[in-house]
Amino acid sequence: MLLQIKNLKVGYRNIEVVRGVELNIDKGECVGLIGESGCGKTTVGLSVTKLIPERIGMTSGEILFEDKNILKLNPEELRNIRGKKISYVFQEPFSSLNPVFTVYEQIREMLEKKNNIYIQIAEILKSVGLEKIIGRKNVYPHELSGGMQQRAMIGMAIASKPSLVILDEPTTALDVTIQRQILDLITGLKNKMNLSILFISHDLRIVFSIADKIGIMYAGKIVEYGTKEKIISSPSHPYTIGLIDSIPSFEHRKQLFNVIGGKAPLFSELPKGCKFYPRCRFRIKECLKKEPELKDISADHFSRCILTSEIAARRLPKQNRSI
Amino acid sequence: MKLLKIDSLHKTFKKHKVSAVDGASFSIFKGEVLGLVGESGCGKTTLAKLILRLIDADKGSIFYKDKDLLKISHSDMRKTRKSLQIIFQDPYASLDPRMRIGEVIEEVYDIHKNVTGREKKNKAIELLETVGLGEVYLQRLSSELSGGERQRVGIARALATDPEFIICDEPVSSLDISIQAQILNLLIDLQKRKNLTYLFISHDLGVIGSICDRVMVMQSGKFVESGSCETIFRNPKHEYTKTLLKSALLS
Amino acid sequence: MGKYVFKRIIGLAALLLGITIITFSVIHIAPGRPTDLEAQFNPKVSMEARERIAHLYGLDKPLHIQYIEWLKRFARLDFGISFMDSRPVMQKILERMPITLTIELFSIILILLIGIPIGVGSAVKEGSFYDRFMTVFVFIGFAMPTFWLSLILMDFIGVRWGILPISGIKSLEFEKFGNFEKIIDMSKHLILPVFVSAFGGLAGISRYMRSSMLNVLKQDYIRTARAKGLREKDVLYKHALKNALLPVVTILGLSVPGLIGGSVIFESIFSIPGMGRLFYESVMARDYPVIMGVLVIGAVLTLLGNLLADISYAAVDPRIKLE
Amino acid sequence: MNKLTIFGICIVGFFIIIAIFAPIFAPYNPGQIDIENILTAPTSSHIFGTDSLGRDLFSRMVYGTRISLMVGFIAVGIASLIGIALGAIAGYYGNWVDGIIMRFIDIMLCFPTFFLILAVIALLEPSIINIMMIIGATSWMGMARLMRAEILSLKERDFIYAERAIGASDFRIITRHLIPNAMAPVLVSITLGIAGAILVESSLSFLGIGVQPPTPSWGNILSEGKAVMGAGWWMMLFPGMAIFITVLGYNLLGEGIRERLLKS
């Protein structure tokens, strides 16, 4: 196992927003982490290399990367992992690139071997589809389009041949056509370099198209986890079912079933028992007793719901379920 | 019946030089949901604002019930606005942060001076209930509301003038998926109940496909293809429409 | 670049015209005529003589003609003759300007050398004892009236302890000194004025630098820099500092009029024969040609300061295209 | 709330109370000359000492508070009226209206303000009313720029388009929605402006071209103090402290408002 996240908890000012997350990523595997805004998914991603400053966030649990607990490393050891073994691509390419340094300079910073730098950079640019700016050492980020900026970010992320790349909503800020190109680029790089990927997104369609395994987060915990096929064919947590059935599409026009009512709770006012209880269509009194544990449904498929077996049967029918 | 007939509408912003909307001509029929899909910067939001005369068009005409909206006087236009409303994309920018929800809705009646006193409050409560919020929201500030709740307030404000036509400008694209479904259901429901006509703008083909009767595809200020939802989704003609469909991960 | 500078200079010419109009209006729309005063200096001047003076200055002509004639002379840098000692105004100003500019230059250097590190340090250690201490210091700097500070320094350092001279820019026996001693002597005289002149600006720049740096540290690209595994030193002093310094350039340009305006106070307290004191003396004596001359020159110096700031900003910020 | 802000509010409140109730706080008539007691150091009967005409310094300081605060408030009042109006008009109407107003501001900003104030005072008589008007007329540019910038960004926000869509008039949009939402940074600027105006007034009075004796102001008391430097430290200490503390109070208050309003 390349990365094991065990019982990760992160709190901002006494309010826990990641409340015990477990997640494993194998070599060459793409794990998708789905959740709506404010569910803690970005915090999980940042915690992997301790990018949340200690004075802002309290982190506990274990993050084992190549059998070392990252949370226990000193700053120097952390630096040797960040960018070198684990790298990031963030949501907004424009604000994530430093506006006053050239693209060349920002890629150069990632290179460990300082010989033949321009050849190295040219290769990186080529591998992310930025042939256009090879040799143009004075190009600044603002001179590139959004899609090209994101390519540059990806170039930086793979420059030192990391084993894990964490992509936090990498296509959300982009237009659909560009989105598709970037996803194709990521898939290509993953296969070529045997990368492991943690893909964080709110968009189920995108995650379904790229991930091997998927975790669904709600209120700071993973509520369902499984292979893509299992999640798509037999979602077992009421939240997952609601999300999947909420995807609008031409195939089921003007009738969205199983829509989740209400809104996500604030972390400061979490309900007792199952955190999804107030919005759940399948709820029973039992659910209020205590927060359910993740339990096995089948091989590689877990759900944090006490009713899992009955739910699938009670899911409302949909004529043409496309996904 | 044609509700709105738009003919060769043009708009160029001085700053950008290229046309934001370049000769848009189309009609909207009473009671339909007309979709407008395109990527960011293609001019779809500009088109929405032009139709309601929120910004001035360079040339063209917009006929609503035999009146050219671009030629009528300001006071006439203000009266006409009651029938033509808009719901915006960003629920965080579309409500005055200093106003309470009650004030947001009651202001509509203040401006049109058609409802007064106690009645105003009752109407506001009724509207809030229509959009799935209750009386408790009257005293709330918009900053205390979640994105979905704000969007509901935006819908209530648009309904306050009892319009027959509403432009929905990306009303769900900044919402979480579960909230997005709630709002889409609400919009569909309202449209059926009140026999409203929508111009529904979105970059998301899934959303467009789920709600619209007809679709127009826009690219750099121009329409490249339009037709019934069925035709566009099953049998697209234009290259750009095909790319969009392929990229939209619907398959 | 050349084209940009050219465009700016055309813009400046328009501003300059505005400056002359305002200066001229301020002087001529107010009640009382300049000749009233000249006559006051010499009560024996008869009505006839007064009219002759009025004619000499063109004061019997309509205002717009007067303005145009003044403008024509201004274009030749001829501001007329001082009422007080009948010397050309331009000559008087040129005599005084170097002293004021020297003091301002030194205080700007002092402001930058001390203010920027203070601000950066406060931002980097936000909330620390150092930061809080500096915040208090900065507020004291803002609130300290220049003239009071000057008086206190004069009283203690000059009068009571006799460490530094408190009046003028050179000692009485200056001419007898050798070159090196001359420099030492003048420096000693300049220490207090430069310090006083810099004091308020110091607070301003360090506060500005602090908030600029804090703002930059919140940006996404700083998170990127950390995620890249750069040394904290490089994150702060390469990626953050360059961005944070940019707006300071503009602020520096904007602070020129304040500095020049402030010269009136400390130059009259420390009896320094600079532009500020010249202006004060001519105001007290209602020496109109000098007042107009200094006003225009002061504004022109500000214009030049702003131009310099804008050009350097455009030169260092890659996002500004020089067209 | 931040401790420094509370400190600022206390200072501001303290001096406002002193100014309002000056006759109650002042033990003597501020103009009462006492040749027997010139330049006495602070004692129990004259807690701040006396000046070179034997007048009670404490009483003069108390009345000086009135002058300083009045000049500060009214000057900034004038400046904010001009600034808010011009800024709002420039921002909302744009085009040539904006062009003219902005060029005018650029020109005004080129003058070292203190020079301009001195020049105008030289022409008019240095009365308190003139001083307030001149400070007001030369310090509105920053507020106008802030107001304009805020309005420029606000008017492209959807809630303003929504107002137009429901048929609101320009006047309603500007006065009810744009200006109130744009006020936060202007309010900070107003608070800091009061501190600035008090500083300018006292500088002018110190230079002898501001508030004219015998009317007491902190600046002209300090100027008299300079004349007796070494013989009457209290004449330099107390007025200087008063100016310093007042200005500090408004600055702290301004910073507090900035943190509260702009960070939310």
Side-chain angles (χ1 to χ4, degrees), chain A residues 42 46 49 51 53 55 76 78-80 82-84 86-88 90-92 94-101 105-110 140 142-143 153 156 168, chain C residues 123-127 214 216-217 219-232 234-235 237-244 246 316-321:
Chain A
T42 294
L46 294 175
T49 63
L51 274 176
R55 64 196 169 95
E76 190 58 31
L78 264 179
R79 278 209 312 110
N80 287 325
R82 286 182 190 162
K84 294 167 190 81
I86 303 177
S87 59
Y88 285 85
F90 297 110
Q91 174 171 358
E92 297 274 352
F94 181 68
S95 58
S96 297
L97 288 163
N98 195 323
V100 300
F101 292 104
E105 169 62 17
Q106 293 186 60
I107 293 178
R108 192 198 58 77
E109 287 180 324
M110 301 294 291
Y140 285 91
H142 71 272
E143 297 168 70
M153 275 298 288
M156 270 161 53
D168 187 355
Chain C
V124 169
K125 296 187 188 128
E126 194 197 359
L214 278 180
V216 167
L217 287 175
Q219 301 300 313
D220 287 349
Y221 53 78
I222 296 302
R223 186 181 60 187
T224 308
R226 294 218 169 92
K228 281 162 87 172
L230 301 181
R231 272 186 297 262
E232 190 61 13
D234 286 336
V235 174
Y237 303 114
K238 181 180 171 189
H239 280 259
L241 189 59
K242 190 170 178 195
N243 281 283
L246 289 178
V316 285
D317 189 338
R319 283 162 295 184
I320 309 265
K321 272 199 198 131

Side-chain angles (χ1 to χ4, degrees), chain D residues 64-82 113 117 120-121 124-140 143 193-194 196-198 200-202 204-205 209-212 217:
Chain D
T65 310
R66 275 193 165 177
I67 303 289
S68 292
L69 292 195
M70 187 171 75
V71 171
F73 284 146
I74 296 182
V76 171
I78 295 170
S80 41
L81 282 184
I82 304 176
T113 315
I117 293 172
V120 181
I121 299 247
L124 308 169
E125 287 306 310
S127 70
I128 293 175
I129 291 179
N130 284 343
I131 289 168
M132 293 187 299
M133 290 201 330
I134 292 159
I135 297 178
T138 51
S139 56
W140 53 271
M143 291 180 213
I194 294 174
I198 290 174
V200 171
E201 178 274 322
S202 52
L204 287 173
S205 302
I209 35 186
V211 178
Q212 297 298 309
S217 93

Side-chain angles (χ1 to χ4, degrees), chain A residues 168-211:
Chain A
D168 187 355
E169 305 259 9
T171 62
T172 306
L174 307 172
D175 273 328
V176 266
T177 49
I178 312 295
Q179 225 169 44
R180 195 40 185 279
Q181 294 167 11
I182 297 290
L183 289 175
D184 290 346
L185 172 69
I186 294 168
T187 316
L189 288 169
K190 178 195 159 210
N191 295 335
K192 203 171 77 186
M193 302 175 68
N194 194 27
L195 291 173
S196 301
I197 288 177
L198 175 60
F199 195 101
I200 300 168
S201 178
H202 71 284
D203 192 327
L204 286 88
R205 289 172 292 189
I206 289 178
V207 177
F208 286 161
S209 79
I210 196 167

